[in-house]
């Protein structure tokens, strides 16, 4: 199916929302240590919070699947534009040393839901 330029942004946002929904379902159903967000969990729960304050998973949609391409820590400031522009979504959590898997999972599922809702809203806006 070939999309014209006016349909393309909406389709891209829908694809992102669908991929993030799939990721959310897998994270909800699997132990966090067996999920695609295992690296994010490890960084968020074992990193020294006196040095770093957030950790981010950079997510690309590849063949309809949300793939975590990189996980990075940040102390202060913001990511360089070329890093942000090169990914489809970013999932950022606060570093909480020793956080339990269930608490981390709850936080991540909530943040994924917000990202999904935002992508669906962007798709709707792009259609109008």
């Amino acid at each position: 199916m070939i999309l014209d330029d006016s349909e393309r942004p909406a389709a891209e946002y829908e694809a992102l929302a669908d991929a993030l929904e799939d990721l959310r379902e897998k994270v909800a159903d699997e132990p966090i240590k067996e999920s695609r967000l295992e690296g994010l969990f490890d960084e968020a729960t074992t990193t020294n919070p006196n040095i770093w304050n957030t950790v981010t998973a950079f997510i690309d949609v590849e063949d309809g699947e949300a793939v975590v391409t990189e996980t990075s820590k940040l102390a202060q400031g913001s990511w360089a534009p070329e890093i942000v522009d090169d990914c489809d979504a970013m999932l950022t959590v606060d570093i909480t040393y020793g956080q339990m898997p269930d608490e981390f999972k709850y936080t991540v599922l909530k943040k994924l839901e917000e990202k999904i809702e935002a992508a669906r809203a962007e798709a709707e806006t792009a259609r109008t």
Side-chain angles (χ1 to χ4, degrees), residues 33-112:
K33 288 293 212 168
E34 296 173 13
S35 77
R36 289 179 252 170
L37 296 178
E38 177 183 7
L40 184 68
F41 173 74
D42 289 343
E43 291 285 352
T45 60
T46 63
T47 300
N48 184 343
N50 294 323
I51 299 171
W52 308 98
N53 58 11
T54 63
V55 64
T56 299
F58 295 89
I59 300 170
D60 283 340
V61 176
E62 298 175 7
D63 297 325
E65 184 175 326
V67 177
V68 177
T69 58
E70 185 178 345
T71 303
S72 294
K73 299 177 283 227
L74 188 64
Q76 299 290 329
S78 58
W79 296 108
E82 62 272 13
I83 295 171
V84 175
D85 289 343
D86 198 33
C87 72
D88 295 314
M90 296 179 358
L91 183 63
T92 300
V93 295
D94 292 333
I95 291 176
T96 308
Y97 187 81
Q99 184 178 39
M100 300 309 296
D102 287 344
E103 183 180 357
F104 176 82
K105 185 183 277 197
Y106 173 80
T107 300
V108 166
L109 291 174
K110 188 174 167 183
K111 287 182 178 273
L112 282 170

